[in-house]
Amino acid sequence: MAILSDYEEENQKKPMLSETSVRKPFQDSLEPSEPLGFLKRVFEFLARESDLFKIDSLEKDVNAVVRLVKEKVDAEERKRKEIKVEENVKSEKKVKGVPPEAAKEAAVKEEEEEKGSETKEEEKRGPRAPNRCNGLDMDNYSWGQSLQEVNVTVPVPPGTKSKFIACEIKKKHLKVGLKGQPPVIDGELFQPVKVDDCFWSLEDQKSISILLTKHNQMEWWKYLVKGEPDIDTQKAEPENSKLSDLDPEMRSTVEKMMFDQQQKSMGLPTSDEMQKQEILKKFMAEHPEMDFSGAKIC
């Protein structure tokens, strides 16, 4: 990711080990079937032999390094696929009677079909479970929501100044990133927002925090911007501590919606359906002479 390039250069300049830390060498080997166990032993070694775990921003810095490595791996994978396409084109050229242009088109088509099958597999998995903030953690940013607002967090290289940030919030579009670099987010929002009630800020010169006020404050967002995976909104949970802050009418509506979501997840009737059943039972009791065997609740 482009916005982490400065972080990588700066991180290379930081001495991670103290002068007295190299007392005994790290003696272990990577077992391919247990990479996380190897990482655990590495961190245990660093905890003993260095001041790494005294750094306040350790978790964020480690996450940034992981994202950086993942992007390099993804870039290498894309390059490998491109080389494969070129090799296929060259091999097809040797086939008698097949023009080079046709061979290249066939190779490109095959590549697109592979990508299409991967996308279909992703779609078959269905909506993802939301994170603890009722949103989703993406590769280079994360977002969460309440019924009233959406909060977006975009990590940036440590030491970033506000003047280097480009953030544009429109009614149904969000664009954010660093000036002179490709935007981290640039897409159509799930639903309109109240632009006058939206704002962004730079947190500790390490991340961009964006608050979006929903126009429709009675519905969960399935995604932040178009093209993202959907989340399972039935698993979204309002913060109980904030229900008391709502006015009585709004609180009643939210509690009803929470109850209905829970009933649906268990295959049980919603509050409206239960009310209709009660009305029908009362009517049946008042008119025993009538036949209700074919009655249905709509």
Side-chain angles (χ1 to χ4, degrees), residues 26 28 37-47 52-53:
F26 177 74
D28 213 321
F38 176 76
L39 283 177
K40 180 175 179 292
R41 292 191 292 275
V42 170
F43 281 117
E44 288 174 349
F45 172 77
L46 292 174
L52 179 65
F53 282 80

Side-chain angles (χ1 to χ4, degrees), residues 10-19 50-52 55:
E10 182 178 335
N11 199 46
Q12 289 176 350
K13 299 177 182 178
K14 292 182 179 178
M16 299 304 295
L17 300 176
S18 63
E19 294 180 356
S50 76
D51 297 331
L52 179 65
I55 300 175

Side-chain angles (χ1 to χ4, degrees), residues 71-87:
E71 287 172 5
K72 288 185 176 180
V73 172
D74 292 342
E76 291 175 357
E77 180 66 17
R78 288 194 297 269
K79 187 176 180 179
R80 184 190 66 78
K81 289 183 178 181
E82 291 173 359
I83 293 174
K84 180 181 177 182
V85 171
E86 292 296 328
E87 290 177 349

Side-chain angles (χ1 to χ4, degrees), residues 52 58 88 105 134 172 185 212 237 263:
L52 179 65
L58 175 62
N88 289 340
E105 289 179 4
N134 298 319
K172 282 214 67 177
I185 304 173
L212 304 174
E237 299 180 358
Q263 290 292 98

Side-chain angles (χ1 to χ4, degrees), residues 65-190:
V65 172
V66 171
R67 286 196 299 271
L68 182 62
V69 173
K70 183 178 185 301
E71 287 172 5
K72 288 185 176 180
V73 172
D74 292 342
E76 291 175 357
E77 180 66 17
R78 288 194 297 269
K79 187 176 180 179
R80 184 190 66 78
K81 289 183 178 181
E82 291 173 359
I83 293 174
K84 180 181 177 182
V85 171
E86 292 296 328
E87 290 177 349
N88 289 340
V89 172
K90 291 179 181 179
S91 63
E92 289 294 339
K93 286 181 180 179
K94 298 178 181 180
V95 180
K96 187 177 180 180
V98 179
E101 294 78 8
K104 187 173 183 178
E105 289 179 4
V108 172
K109 184 177 181 181
E110 182 181 352
E111 182 73 14
E112 290 177 350
E113 288 176 353
E114 288 181 4
K115 291 181 180 179
S117 62
E118 292 176 359
T119 302
K120 289 179 181 178
E121 283 296 323
E122 188 72 25
E123 291 175 352
K124 287 180 182 178
R125 297 174 189 170
R128 298 184 183 181
N131 59 21
R132 60 186 181 87
C133 298
N134 298 319
L136 204 59
D137 297 323
M138 307 301 291
D139 290 339
N140 48 6
Y141 66 93
S142 64
W143 68 279
Q145 63 176 319
S146 64
L147 282 170
Q148 295 81 28
E149 301 170 344
V150 175
N151 293 281
V152 187
T153 301
V154 182
V156 295
T160 298
K161 306 291 185 181
S162 297
K163 62 182 179 180
F164 298 132
I165 295 174
C167 186
E168 186 179 81
I169 304 173
K170 295 184 178 180
K171 186 176 181 180
K172 282 214 67 177
H173 194 96
L174 175 64
K175 183 177 181 180
V176 59
L178 295 182
K179 293 178 180 179
Q181 298 185 15
V184 178
I185 304 173
D186 186 7
E188 181 182 346
L189 295 169
F190 178 72

